[in-house]
Amino acid sequence: MPIAVVVIDIDNFNWINEEYGYESGNALIVEFSQRFVFSAPPHSLAARIEGNKFALAIPSTYNSQEIQTMLSEQFLPLQNFFHVFGEPVHLTFSAGVALASEDGSDYYTLLRHVKHNGKNDIVLYDASFQQQDLERRLAMSFQSALQNGEFYLCYQPKFNVHKGCVDSVEALIRWNSPIHGVVSPATFIPIAEKNGFIFDLTKWILGEACRQMKKWKQMNHTIERVAVNISAPMFLSDRLPKMISHILYDSRLEARHLELEITETVIMAHFDAALTIINSLKKEGISISLDDFGTWVSSLTYLKKLLIDTLKIDKSFIDGVHTSFEDKALVEMIIQLAKLFKLSVVTEGVEKQEQMSILKKLGCDSIQGYLISWSERPDILEARYAQKKYGS
Ligand code: C2E
Ligand code: MG
Ligand code: MG
């Protein structure tokens, strides 16, 4: 009879034993066995062969690809959480398959072959699936978590050097879930952004932060301002200004006590929209803070990884280098960074003598632009540069 044998190992099972004790390990094996038997294809034989190893004999004429497809559907229940002390635990598996037609004719030979073939002939559970599964589960819990009061805010103080006291705080969301445990905002905020829950969540955060700020104000506390992080979809949505004015009204809080933190990356990616939004928020009297500033500057580290040699500074930085203190400071900073990474610096779009003098002083290695030359045909350049030197 055509037969396929599949051997499945629970990965890192020793970890469960070490972390939770043997009794929990055994309970997990029992739970796994029940699901394994329940999920086995019809007419197959399911067995535990040792420790964390299980085998399945399937009467089949399928090839290993077809078996893989069949089993990854059949074994979906194994991809749900298991429980240890009521805590959800994800398990991953490795599986090997042997076919009677290719690897032998009796069960024991097949079993040996599976072992020799090694693991992962069948991938029943891959990491990306696990990630998606986790995301889906977190997303499904969001609304009830909000209703059940599982979210709360912590406030990180900001010390004002001039005043010598903490005069503002940043509100940071926390989630203590009875199902998922403590989940970091770095994990769940991106999921909330993806599935749209961020709107409800931000509304709750703003309300909570403003209510708390009002309380501090009534206590005559030194904290004068609360900063709330605003995610990209919320920041770019039409709903934000209205939402904020409602919340400020409801909490009887003046706008000057509220600050919004927006990341540099979001502003850079939607610069024109950001200008308009920020202007309208500023008009209301709300402060704006550029969070995680330097992300774009630090992306210069990627240039280093790319093994490039030269950094060409864009004309937009050069245009005002001789007239604007800020532009000059920016160019100086970029040149310093480039030097740190041992990159040489070329500035493009140099049109004026004053620009060139400054750029030379700042340590720029090469200068390009109309001041030096238009683009020319090669013969003209050959003739010109045989005689003339620039940059002296
Ligand atoms: P965290 O509280 O774990 O928050 C991480 C990030 O999640 C935040 O980065 C922010 O992008 C997002 N986040 C947190 N709460 C909210 C929220 O209410 N709404 C939205 N939309 N996003 C939120 P961010 O804003 O740069 O916050 C600073 C992070 O750095 C916080 O982590 C804070 O706890 C942490 N931190 C503060 N001081 C230190 C420190 O000295 N060392 C280290 N390692 N981390 C620090
Ligand atoms: Mg922040
Ligand atoms: Mg930050």
Side-chain angles (χ1 to χ4, degrees):
M1 184 175 65
I3 191 169
V5 171
V6 181
V7 172
I8 297 173
D9 282 315
I10 305 176
D11 294 333
N12 302 320
F13 188 71
N14 281 346
W15 172 81
I16 305 272
N17 281 331
E18 281 164 23
E19 192 75 9
Y20 298 99
Y22 284 96
E23 225 167 275
S24 302
N26 288 341
L28 200 78
I29 290 281
V30 171
E31 192 179 342
F32 179 87
S33 307
Q34 286 164 348
R35 286 196 212 174
F36 184 65
V37 170
F38 174 78
S39 317
H43 312 299
S44 61
L45 180 70
R48 178 181 175 207
I49 48 177
E50 60 179 79
N52 59 336
K53 233 183 244 309
F54 293 78
L56 198 61
I58 313 168
S60 91
T61 49
Y62 299 133
N63 63 32
S64 52
Q65 184 57 47
E66 288 162 339
I67 288 180
Q68 166 160 349
T69 310
M70 177 177 76
L71 291 186
S72 30
E73 284 165 17
Q74 202 80 32
F75 280 136
L76 275 177
L78 299 185
Q79 293 163 358
N80 290 332
F81 284 111
F82 286 79
H83 293 89
V84 178
F85 289 130
E87 262 185 53
V89 173
H90 270 292
L91 294 183
T92 62
F93 314 101
S94 308
V97 64
L99 301 174
S101 52
E102 293 168 16
D103 299 316
S105 52
D106 68 273
Y107 179 74
Y108 292 101
T109 319
L110 285 173
L111 205 56
R112 262 204 321 278
H113 260 285
V114 179
K115 287 179 184 168
H116 289 154
N117 286 355
K119 292 177 175 183
N120 297 326
D121 283 353
I122 299 179
V123 180
L124 290 176
Y125 201 111
D126 70 26
S128 64
F129 186 91
Q130 188 177 1
Q131 182 59 26
Q132 278 172 18
D133 194 38
L134 182 67
E135 284 191 12
R136 195 172 51 80
R137 285 167 179 282
L138 291 179
M140 275 166 51
S141 312
F142 282 155
Q143 282 297 347
S144 64
L146 191 58
Q147 277 155 18
N148 299 339
E150 292 166 22
F151 292 109
Y152 58 99
L153 293 184
C154 288
Y155 298 88
Q156 186 173 37
K158 301 182 187 181
F159 182 80
N160 183 318
V161 179
H162 307 289
K163 291 186 190 165
C165 68
V166 168
D167 69 343
S168 61
V169 290
E170 175 179 2
L172 293 163
I173 183 106
R174 302 287 174 251
W175 183 17
N176 196 349
S177 157
I179 305 170
H180 311 289
V182 174
V183 191
S184 154
T187 303
F188 71 79
I189 291 285
I191 301 172
E193 288 171 359
K194 248 198 259 172
N195 88 335
F197 176 67
I198 196 69
F199 296 101
D200 287 350
L201 187 64
T202 308
K203 189 175 169 190
W204 178 82
I205 295 167
L206 280 164
E208 185 65 16
C210 288
R211 193 193 51 73
Q212 178 59 61
M213 184 60 238
K214 179 73 183 179
K215 199 167 152 200
W216 281 321
K217 197 168 178 278
Q218 286 168 337
M219 289 164 65
N220 208 17
H221 200 281
T222 57
I223 295 173
E224 287 179 351
R225 189 183 294 156
V226 65
V228 171
N229 290 284
I230 302 292
S231 290
M234 186 76 252
F235 174 65
L236 298 167
S237 132
D238 298 342
R239 288 149 75 173
L240 184 67
K242 229 184 230 162
M243 183 190 285
I244 291 181
S245 57
H246 277 145
I247 288 171
L248 287 174
Y249 178 81
D250 287 346
S251 54
R252 306 279 181 271
L253 188 72
E254 292 157 78
R256 66 188 170 90
H257 297 294
L258 179 65
E259 180 177 345
L260 304 182
E261 293 198 11
I262 311 181
T263 63
E264 183 194 21
T265 318
V266 172
I267 293 190
M268 296 311 282
H270 308 272
F271 197 75
D272 291 337
L275 276 183
T276 316
I277 296 165
I278 290 174
N279 282 345
S280 72
L281 292 167
K282 288 294 294 177
K283 258 189 219 148
E284 299 297 316
I286 295 157
S287 314
I288 309 286
S289 158
L290 198 55
D291 205 357
D292 301 339
F293 175 76
T295 316
W296 282 52
V297 174
S298 69
S299 67
L300 280 174
T301 54
Y302 292 113
L303 300 179
K304 187 64 188 170
K305 281 185 195 146
L306 288 171
L307 292 179
I308 59 144
D309 306 295
T310 303
L311 196 67
K312 278 184 88 163
I313 302 181
D314 190 74
K315 179 176 183 299
S316 59
F317 289 96
I318 307 305
D319 287 342
V321 79
H322 57 307
T323 52
S324 147
F325 171 77
E326 288 88 350
D327 283 358
K328 186 178 164 195
L330 273 171
V331 170
E332 183 169 12
M333 190 175 78
I334 296 172
I335 292 177
Q336 295 293 326
L337 258 159
K339 299 276 165 202
L340 204 67
F341 294 132
K342 300 196 169 49
L343 300 173
S344 77
V345 178
V346 180
T347 44
E348 55 183 351
V350 180
E351 295 175 353
K352 298 192 165 68
Q353 189 61 52
E354 302 102 286
Q355 292 172 329
M356 183 152 93
S357 316
I358 292 170
L359 291 169
K360 278 166 70 181
K361 270 193 210 131
L362 294 180
C364 172
D365 296 300
S366 302
I367 286 165
Q368 192 183 347
Y370 293 164
L371 177 69
I372 308 297
S373 171
W374 296 78
S375 54
E376 302 279 13
R377 285 161 52 128
D379 50 338
I380 297 179
L381 298 181
E382 280 159 24
R384 190 191 293 164
Y385 297 120
Q387 299 146 15
K388 203 173 170 185
K389 256 188 170 169
Y390 273 93
S392 49

